[in-house]
Amino acid sequence: MATAVNVNVNGENHCDRAGEVKRFDESKIGVKGLVDSGLTTIPSIFIHPPETLSDLKPKPKPQSVVIPTIDLSGPRSTVVEQVAAASRTFGFFQIINHGIPVQVLDRMIGSIRAFHEQPTDVKAKFYTRDIATGVNFISNVDLFLSKAASWRDTLQIKLAPTLPELENIPEVCRDEVVEWSLHSETLGERLMGLLSEGLGLDTDRLKNTTCLDARMMVGHYYPRCPQPDLTVGIASHTDPGVLTLLLQDHIGGLQIKHQGEWVDIKPVHGALVINIADILQILSNDEYVSVEHRVLANPSEEARVSIAVFFNPSAREALYGPFSELTSPEKPPRYRQFVYHDYMRRFFTKELDGKTLTNYYRI
Protein backbone atom coordinates (compact mmCIF):
# COMPACT_ATOMS: atom_id res chain seq x y z
CA MET A 1 0.00 0.00 0.00
CA ALA A 2 2.47 2.66 1.15
CA THR A 3 5.23 1.27 -1.07
CA ALA A 4 3.29 2.56 -4.07
CA VAL A 5 3.75 6.09 -2.76
CA ASN A 6 7.52 5.81 -3.21
CA VAL A 7 8.32 8.54 -0.69
CA ASN A 8 11.87 9.10 0.47
CA VAL A 9 12.37 7.71 3.97
CA ASN A 10 16.12 8.20 4.41
CA GLY A 11 15.87 11.74 5.77
CA GLU A 12 17.95 13.30 2.98
CA ASN A 13 16.90 16.76 1.87
CA HIS A 14 18.08 16.63 -1.74
CA CYS A 15 14.98 14.74 -2.85
CA ASP A 16 12.44 16.09 -5.27
CA ARG A 17 10.19 17.45 -2.55
CA ALA A 18 7.45 18.69 -4.88
CA GLY A 19 7.29 15.31 -6.57
CA GLU A 20 7.21 13.41 -3.29
CA VAL A 21 4.49 15.64 -1.89
CA LYS A 22 2.43 15.13 -5.05
CA ARG A 23 2.87 11.35 -4.91
CA PHE A 24 1.92 11.24 -1.24
CA ASP A 25 -1.19 13.34 -1.83
CA GLU A 26 -2.28 11.36 -4.87
CA SER A 27 -1.90 8.09 -2.95
CA LYS A 28 -4.81 9.21 -0.71
CA ILE A 29 -3.53 6.98 2.11
CA GLY A 30 -2.70 9.76 4.56
CA VAL A 31 -0.24 9.46 7.42
CA LYS A 32 -2.27 6.57 8.85
CA GLY A 33 -1.58 4.63 5.65
CA LEU A 34 2.15 5.21 6.04
CA VAL A 35 2.02 3.91 9.61
CA ASP A 36 0.00 0.87 8.55
CA SER A 37 2.68 0.02 5.99
CA GLY A 38 5.06 -0.65 8.87
CA LEU A 39 7.63 2.05 8.21
CA THR A 40 10.16 2.71 10.99
CA THR A 41 11.52 6.04 9.70
CA ILE A 42 9.46 8.97 8.52
CA PRO A 43 9.60 10.18 4.90
CA SER A 44 11.85 13.17 4.35
CA ILE A 45 8.93 15.44 3.43
CA PHE A 46 7.87 15.25 7.10
CA ILE A 47 11.24 16.18 8.60
CA HIS A 48 11.16 19.74 9.95
CA PRO A 49 14.10 22.19 9.83
CA PRO A 50 16.59 22.33 12.73
CA GLU A 51 15.20 25.60 14.10
CA THR A 52 11.80 23.93 14.57
CA LEU A 53 13.19 20.69 15.97
CA SER A 54 15.46 22.40 18.48
CA ASP A 55 12.43 24.18 19.94
CA LEU A 56 10.67 20.84 20.56
CA LYS A 57 13.09 19.75 23.27
CA PRO A 58 11.60 20.20 26.76
CA LYS A 59 13.20 22.72 29.07
CA PRO A 60 14.90 21.23 32.16
CA LYS A 61 12.77 23.20 34.64
CA PRO A 62 9.35 21.85 35.65
CA GLN A 63 6.29 23.50 34.17
CA SER A 64 4.47 25.66 36.69
CA VAL A 65 2.05 27.50 34.37
CA VAL A 66 -1.43 26.03 34.04
CA ILE A 67 -4.10 27.58 31.84
CA PRO A 68 -7.34 28.43 33.68
CA THR A 69 -10.24 25.98 33.93
CA ILE A 70 -13.53 27.86 34.16
CA ASP A 71 -16.76 26.43 35.57
CA LEU A 72 -19.54 27.81 33.39
CA SER A 73 -22.15 26.94 36.02
CA GLY A 74 -20.88 29.71 38.32
CA PRO A 75 -22.48 33.15 38.74
CA ARG A 76 -22.53 34.93 35.38
CA SER A 77 -20.60 37.98 36.58
CA THR A 78 -17.85 35.69 37.93
CA VAL A 79 -17.74 33.63 34.74
CA VAL A 80 -17.53 36.78 32.58
CA GLU A 81 -14.66 38.05 34.69
CA GLN A 82 -12.79 34.72 34.50
CA VAL A 83 -13.31 34.33 30.75
CA ALA A 84 -12.13 37.89 30.09
CA ALA A 85 -9.07 37.49 32.32
CA ALA A 86 -8.06 34.22 30.65
CA SER A 87 -8.62 35.72 27.18
CA ARG A 88 -6.42 38.70 28.02
CA THR A 89 -3.62 36.72 29.68
CA PHE A 90 -3.45 33.33 27.96
CA GLY A 91 -5.78 33.45 24.96
CA PHE A 92 -6.72 29.88 25.98
CA PHE A 93 -8.84 28.35 28.72
CA GLN A 94 -10.68 25.13 29.49
CA ILE A 95 -14.36 25.00 30.41
CA ILE A 96 -16.32 22.52 32.51
CA ASN A 97 -20.06 22.27 33.23
CA HIS A 98 -20.62 23.65 29.74
CA GLY A 99 -23.90 21.84 29.13
CA ILE A 100 -22.71 19.15 26.71
CA PRO A 101 -22.99 15.67 28.27
CA VAL A 102 -19.72 13.79 28.56
CA GLN A 103 -21.31 10.89 26.69
CA VAL A 104 -21.75 13.17 23.67
CA LEU A 105 -18.08 14.15 23.85
CA ASP A 106 -16.95 10.54 24.08
CA ARG A 107 -19.19 9.47 21.19
CA MET A 108 -17.83 12.29 19.04
CA ILE A 109 -14.21 11.31 19.69
CA GLY A 110 -15.06 7.67 19.05
CA SER A 111 -16.78 8.44 15.75
CA ILE A 112 -13.84 10.49 14.40
CA ARG A 113 -11.44 7.76 15.47
CA ALA A 114 -13.69 5.23 13.71
CA PHE A 115 -13.58 7.25 10.47
CA HIS A 116 -9.80 7.45 10.43
CA GLU A 117 -9.39 3.78 11.31
CA GLN A 118 -11.50 2.55 8.40
CA PRO A 119 -9.76 0.74 5.52
CA THR A 120 -7.78 3.08 3.29
CA ASP A 121 -9.96 2.44 0.24
CA VAL A 122 -13.06 3.53 2.20
CA LYS A 123 -11.47 6.81 3.33
CA ALA A 124 -9.95 7.45 -0.11
CA LYS A 125 -13.43 8.18 -1.49
CA PHE A 126 -13.44 11.33 0.65
CA TYR A 127 -9.82 12.36 -0.05
CA THR A 128 -9.81 15.64 -1.96
CA ARG A 129 -8.61 19.22 -1.53
CA ASP A 130 -11.95 20.46 -2.87
CA ILE A 131 -14.56 21.04 -0.18
CA ALA A 132 -17.42 21.79 -2.60
CA THR A 133 -19.56 19.07 -0.99
CA GLY A 134 -18.81 20.45 2.48
CA VAL A 135 -16.83 17.33 3.40
CA ASN A 136 -13.26 16.25 2.64
CA PHE A 137 -10.48 14.06 4.02
CA ILE A 138 -6.90 15.31 3.67
CA SER A 139 -3.47 15.13 5.19
CA ASN A 140 -2.12 18.63 5.96
CA VAL A 141 -4.17 21.59 4.79
CA ASP A 142 -0.90 23.37 3.87
CA LEU A 143 0.81 20.30 2.37
CA PHE A 144 1.83 22.08 -0.85
CA LEU A 145 2.86 25.32 0.90
CA SER A 146 4.81 24.17 3.96
CA LYS A 147 8.53 23.52 4.20
CA ALA A 148 7.72 20.21 5.91
CA ALA A 149 4.54 18.19 6.34
CA SER A 150 3.11 17.34 9.76
CA TRP A 151 2.18 13.93 11.15
CA ARG A 152 -1.65 14.02 11.05
CA ASP A 153 -4.70 13.37 8.91
CA THR A 154 -7.90 15.45 8.96
CA LEU A 155 -11.59 15.08 8.19
CA GLN A 156 -13.10 18.51 7.45
CA ILE A 157 -16.85 19.20 7.56
CA LYS A 158 -18.62 22.53 7.08
CA LEU A 159 -21.19 22.91 9.84
CA ALA A 160 -22.63 26.32 8.97
CA PRO A 161 -24.18 28.35 7.42
CA THR A 162 -25.62 25.04 6.17
CA LEU A 163 -24.71 21.47 7.00
CA PRO A 164 -23.70 19.31 4.01
CA GLU A 165 -26.18 16.87 2.51
CA LEU A 166 -26.33 14.00 4.99
CA GLU A 167 -25.26 11.42 2.42
CA ASN A 168 -22.01 13.37 1.95
CA ILE A 169 -21.08 13.00 5.63
CA PRO A 170 -19.33 9.66 6.30
CA GLU A 171 -21.86 7.22 7.71
CA VAL A 172 -19.52 6.11 10.49
CA CYS A 173 -19.69 9.58 12.11
CA ARG A 174 -22.82 11.09 10.54
CA ASP A 175 -25.16 11.06 13.54
CA GLU A 176 -22.43 12.28 15.88
CA VAL A 177 -21.48 15.18 13.60
CA VAL A 178 -25.10 16.35 13.32
CA GLU A 179 -25.44 16.21 17.10
CA TRP A 180 -22.08 17.95 17.60
CA SER A 181 -23.08 20.74 15.23
CA LEU A 182 -26.15 21.56 17.31
CA HIS A 183 -24.26 21.48 20.61
CA SER A 184 -21.36 23.57 19.29
CA GLU A 185 -23.72 26.22 17.94
CA THR A 186 -25.49 26.58 21.30
CA LEU A 187 -22.24 26.66 23.28
CA GLY A 188 -20.63 29.02 20.78
CA GLU A 189 -23.42 31.55 21.23
CA ARG A 190 -23.04 31.29 24.99
CA LEU A 191 -19.29 31.87 24.80
CA MET A 192 -19.64 34.80 22.40
CA GLY A 193 -22.00 36.45 24.87
CA LEU A 194 -19.57 36.01 27.74
CA LEU A 195 -16.68 37.33 25.64
CA SER A 196 -18.72 40.35 24.50
CA GLU A 197 -19.65 41.20 28.07
CA GLY A 198 -16.02 40.75 29.10
CA LEU A 199 -15.19 43.63 26.76
CA GLY A 200 -17.93 45.80 28.26
CA LEU A 201 -20.10 45.36 25.16
CA ASP A 202 -23.69 44.22 24.68
CA THR A 203 -24.13 40.45 25.01
CA ASP A 204 -25.03 40.05 21.32
CA ARG A 205 -22.26 42.29 19.92
CA LEU A 206 -20.18 39.42 18.49
CA LYS A 207 -23.25 37.47 17.43
CA ASN A 208 -24.55 40.49 15.50
CA THR A 209 -21.23 40.72 13.66
CA THR A 210 -22.06 37.28 12.13
CA CYS A 211 -19.25 35.70 14.18
CA LEU A 212 -21.39 32.63 14.90
CA ASP A 213 -22.69 32.08 11.41
CA ALA A 214 -19.86 30.23 9.65
CA ARG A 215 -18.50 27.14 11.37
CA MET A 216 -15.97 24.59 10.15
CA MET A 217 -15.20 21.34 11.98
CA VAL A 218 -11.93 19.45 11.67
CA GLY A 219 -11.43 15.96 13.07
CA HIS A 220 -7.68 15.45 13.48
CA TYR A 221 -6.05 12.05 13.79
CA TYR A 222 -2.45 11.80 15.01
CA PRO A 223 -1.18 8.21 14.61
CA ARG A 224 1.94 6.94 16.34
CA CYS A 225 5.04 8.59 14.93
CA PRO A 226 8.19 6.42 14.74
CA GLN A 227 10.44 9.51 14.96
CA PRO A 228 8.54 12.15 16.96
CA ASP A 229 11.71 14.19 17.49
CA LEU A 230 11.90 14.93 13.73
CA THR A 231 8.41 16.26 13.01
CA VAL A 232 5.28 17.75 14.59
CA GLY A 233 1.57 17.00 14.72
CA ILE A 234 0.64 20.58 13.81
CA ALA A 235 3.19 23.33 13.32
CA SER A 236 3.04 26.47 15.43
CA HIS A 237 0.28 28.82 14.27
CA THR A 238 -2.54 31.10 15.37
CA ASP A 239 -6.12 30.50 14.26
CA PRO A 240 -7.46 32.94 11.65
CA GLY A 241 -11.11 33.17 12.70
CA VAL A 242 -12.96 34.49 15.75
CA LEU A 243 -13.01 31.63 18.25
CA THR A 244 -12.05 27.95 18.37
CA LEU A 245 -13.74 25.23 20.43
CA LEU A 246 -11.62 22.09 20.85
CA LEU A 247 -12.47 18.63 22.11
CA GLN A 248 -9.39 16.49 22.74
CA ASP A 249 -8.93 12.93 23.95
CA HIS A 250 -6.66 11.80 26.80
CA ILE A 251 -3.40 11.47 24.85
CA GLY A 252 -2.18 15.08 25.05
CA GLY A 253 0.34 16.97 22.94
CA LEU A 254 -1.30 20.39 22.58
CA GLN A 255 0.92 23.29 23.66
CA ILE A 256 0.52 27.08 23.71
CA LYS A 257 3.21 29.75 23.78
CA HIS A 258 3.01 31.83 26.96
CA GLN A 259 5.65 34.42 27.86
CA GLY A 260 8.07 32.85 25.39
CA GLU A 261 7.74 29.29 26.74
CA TRP A 262 5.73 26.32 25.50
CA VAL A 263 3.05 25.26 27.99
CA ASP A 264 1.19 21.93 27.89
CA ILE A 265 -2.60 21.93 27.90
CA LYS A 266 -3.22 18.75 29.80
CA PRO A 267 -6.42 16.91 28.79
CA VAL A 268 -9.28 17.00 31.30
CA HIS A 269 -12.00 14.44 30.62
CA GLY A 270 -15.29 16.21 29.97
CA ALA A 271 -13.66 19.63 29.51
CA LEU A 272 -13.42 21.65 26.31
CA VAL A 273 -10.54 23.92 25.28
CA ILE A 274 -11.41 27.42 24.04
CA ASN A 275 -9.02 29.78 22.29
CA ILE A 276 -9.18 33.32 20.99
CA ALA A 277 -8.45 33.58 17.26
CA ASP A 278 -6.95 36.42 15.22
CA ILE A 279 -10.16 38.18 14.20
CA LEU A 280 -11.29 38.47 17.82
CA GLN A 281 -7.93 39.91 18.83
CA ILE A 282 -8.42 42.55 16.13
CA LEU A 283 -12.08 43.25 17.01
CA SER A 284 -11.09 43.64 20.67
CA ASN A 285 -8.29 46.05 19.73
CA ASP A 286 -5.74 43.78 21.47
CA GLU A 287 -7.81 43.37 24.65
CA TYR A 288 -7.94 39.62 23.94
CA VAL A 289 -4.93 37.75 22.59
CA SER A 290 -4.62 35.11 19.88
CA VAL A 291 -1.55 33.06 20.74
CA GLU A 292 0.65 30.56 18.96
CA HIS A 293 -0.09 26.92 19.59
CA ARG A 294 1.09 23.59 18.21
CA VAL A 295 0.68 19.84 18.63
CA LEU A 296 3.68 17.58 19.16
CA ALA A 297 4.06 14.42 17.10
CA ASN A 298 2.45 11.51 18.91
CA PRO A 299 4.93 8.98 20.39
CA SER A 300 2.15 6.84 21.89
CA GLU A 301 1.01 3.54 20.41
CA GLU A 302 -2.55 4.85 20.64
CA ALA A 303 -3.52 7.51 18.10
CA ARG A 304 -4.52 10.95 19.38
CA VAL A 305 -7.88 12.39 18.27
CA SER A 306 -9.10 15.98 18.54
CA ILE A 307 -12.06 17.84 17.07
CA ALA A 308 -11.96 21.60 16.57
CA VAL A 309 -14.83 23.87 15.59
CA PHE A 310 -13.74 27.19 14.08
CA PHE A 311 -16.21 30.08 14.41
CA ASN A 312 -15.88 32.56 11.56
CA PRO A 313 -17.86 35.55 10.29
CA SER A 314 -20.28 34.74 7.47
CA ALA A 315 -20.21 38.29 6.06
CA ARG A 316 -17.10 37.63 4.00
CA GLU A 317 -17.25 40.88 2.00
CA ALA A 318 -17.77 43.08 5.06
CA LEU A 319 -15.12 45.34 6.56
CA TYR A 320 -13.61 44.28 9.88
CA GLY A 321 -11.47 46.16 12.36
CA PRO A 322 -11.50 47.13 16.05
CA PHE A 323 -14.96 47.73 17.51
CA SER A 324 -15.54 51.49 17.65
CA GLU A 325 -16.70 51.16 21.29
CA LEU A 326 -13.19 49.96 22.21
CA THR A 327 -11.27 52.82 20.62
CA SER A 328 -10.76 56.39 21.82
CA PRO A 329 -8.23 59.20 21.49
CA GLU A 330 -6.41 57.62 24.42
CA LYS A 331 -6.57 54.16 22.81
CA PRO A 332 -6.72 54.56 19.04
CA PRO A 333 -7.39 51.63 16.70
CA ARG A 334 -4.37 49.32 16.46
CA TYR A 335 -5.50 47.76 13.18
CA ARG A 336 -6.68 49.08 9.84
CA GLN A 337 -9.94 47.81 8.43
CA PHE A 338 -9.93 44.93 5.95
CA VAL A 339 -12.27 42.69 4.01
CA TYR A 340 -12.61 39.30 5.72
CA HIS A 341 -12.47 37.39 2.43
CA ASP A 342 -9.06 38.94 1.67
CA TYR A 343 -7.83 38.02 5.13
CA MET A 344 -8.76 34.36 4.71
CA ARG A 345 -7.26 34.23 1.24
CA ARG A 346 -3.95 35.40 2.68
CA PHE A 347 -4.13 32.78 5.44
CA PHE A 348 -4.74 29.86 3.10
CA THR A 349 -1.99 30.85 0.67
CA LYS A 350 0.72 30.58 3.32
CA GLU A 351 2.03 27.75 5.44
CA LEU A 352 1.24 27.28 9.13
CA ASP A 353 4.44 28.92 10.29
CA GLY A 354 3.68 30.64 13.58
CA LYS A 355 3.45 34.05 11.91
CA THR A 356 0.13 35.62 12.73
CA LEU A 357 -1.59 37.71 10.05
CA THR A 358 -2.64 40.26 12.65
CA ASN A 359 0.69 42.03 12.19
CA TYR A 360 -0.07 42.53 8.48
CA TYR A 361 -3.06 44.71 9.40
CA ARG A 362 -1.48 46.42 12.41
CA ILE A 363 -1.25 50.20 12.22
Side-chain angles (χ1 to χ4, degrees):
M1 185 166 60
T3 53
V5 185
N6 193 29
V7 290
N8 186 321
V9 296
N10 62 13
E12 296 178 7
N13 292 321
H14 61 264
C15 63
D16 173 14
R17 172 171 168 74
E20 288 200 14
V21 165
K22 186 171 184 289
R23 285 191 293 275
F24 170 67
D25 196 56
E26 290 177 348
S27 75
K28 302 184 177 184
I29 68 172
V31 172
K32 174 71 160 54
L34 295 178
V35 173
D36 289 346
S37 73
L39 56 72
T40 56
T41 57
I42 67 174
S44 59
I45 62 171
F46 291 90
I47 297 176
H48 281 248
E51 58 270 23
T52 299
L53 300 179
S54 63
D55 195 34
L56 298 179
K57 296 172 182 174
K59 302 294 187 291
K61 63 181 180 180
Q63 177 178 305
S64 58
V65 177
V66 178
I67 73 160
T69 297
I70 299 172
D71 184 345
L72 293 194
S73 68
R76 187 171 183 89
S77 60
T78 301
V79 174
V80 167
E81 184 179 322
Q82 291 174 337
V83 165
S87 300
R88 288 181 167 96
T89 306
F90 292 94
F92 269 77
F93 52 94
Q94 300 205 66
I95 55 174
I96 57 174
N97 292 322
H98 41 65
I100 305 179
V102 68
Q103 297 89 341
V104 172
L105 307 183
D106 291 344
R107 282 200 302 270
M108 188 61 194
I109 288 174
S111 73
I112 296 302
R113 183 182 299 279
F115 169 83
H116 286 285
E117 294 181 353
Q118 294 179 110
T120 300
D121 59 337
V122 175
K123 292 186 294 183
K125 298 171 187 173
F126 296 95
Y127 197 102
T128 175
R129 300 210 167 254
D130 182 1
I131 198 165
T133 66
V135 179
N136 68 331
F137 165 54
I138 55 169
S139 186
N140 287 247
V141 67
D142 61 341
L143 181 65
F144 291 93
L145 299 170
S146 62
K147 298 181 185 68
S150 298
W151 203 253
R152 78 180 182 284
D153 296 328
T154 303
L155 174 66
Q156 292 191 126
I157 302 178
K158 284 184 180 178
L159 301 182
T162 55
L163 203 64
E165 295 293 331
L166 290 182
E167 60 265 28
N168 290 328
I169 302 175
E171 185 177 2
V172 72
C173 60
R174 184 178 299 155
D175 292 345
E176 291 80 4
V177 166
V178 172
E179 184 177 34
W180 186 241
S181 179
L182 294 171
H183 280 297
S184 65
E185 180 181 17
T186 300
L187 181 55
E189 182 170 354
R190 186 177 177 188
L191 289 166
M192 295 282 187
L194 294 168
L195 288 160
S196 293
E197 291 178 31
L199 292 169
L201 305 174
D202 291 341
T203 303
D204 290 339
R205 187 65 170 95
L206 286 168
K207 179 182 177 180
N208 293 339
T209 316
T210 78
C211 292
L212 273 167
D213 297 349
R215 285 176 289 123
M216 173 70 80
M217 187 202 94
V218 294
H220 293 311
Y221 185 86
Y222 304 85
R224 178 190 62 82
C225 181
Q227 295 177 295
D229 56 334
L230 294 181
T231 190
V232 296
I234 293 184
S236 174
H237 66 287
T238 61
D239 292 344
V242 177
L243 191 71
T244 303
L245 182 158
L246 178 78
L247 167 61
Q248 61 173 340
D249 69 8
H250 62 284
I251 300 295
L254 174 63
Q255 296 182 324
I256 69 166
K257 192 165 245 186
H258 179 68
Q259 297 180 349
E261 301 289 339
W262 287 106
V263 176
D264 294 321
I265 298 190
K266 298 186 185 303
V268 176
H269 187 226
L272 294 166
V273 179
I274 309 299
N275 69 274
I276 305 302
D278 291 351
I279 296 294
L280 186 47
Q281 175 173 320
I282 292 170
L283 293 174
S284 74
N285 205 30
D286 282 349
E287 287 291 321
Y288 294 159
V289 293
S290 173
V291 302
E292 286 182 53
H293 50 287
R294 69 184 184 187
V295 177
L296 301 178
N298 179 19
S300 169
E301 287 297 323
E302 182 180 357
R304 176 182 186 264
V305 172
S306 68
I307 299 105
V309 176
F310 302 114
F311 292 85
N312 302 303
S314 62
R316 298 180 68 85
E317 301 303 325
L319 281 173
Y320 289 84
F323 285 136
S324 59
E325 304 97 303
L326 302 179
T327 65
S328 66
E330 294 73 32
K331 189 175 182 182
R334 296 184 178 180
Y335 300 92
R336 56 189 171 88
Q337 290 194 319
F338 57 89
V339 175
Y340 179 67
H341 174 77
D342 294 340
Y343 180 93
M344 294 304 286
R345 180 181 53 79
R346 288 183 183 278
F347 180 83
F348 284 109
T349 52
K350 77 179 189 71
E351 65 174 322
L352 299 178
D353 57 1
K355 296 176 183 174
T356 174
L357 276 179
T358 55
N359 291 331
Y360 181 83
Y361 297 97
R362 191 176 289 277
I363 295 173

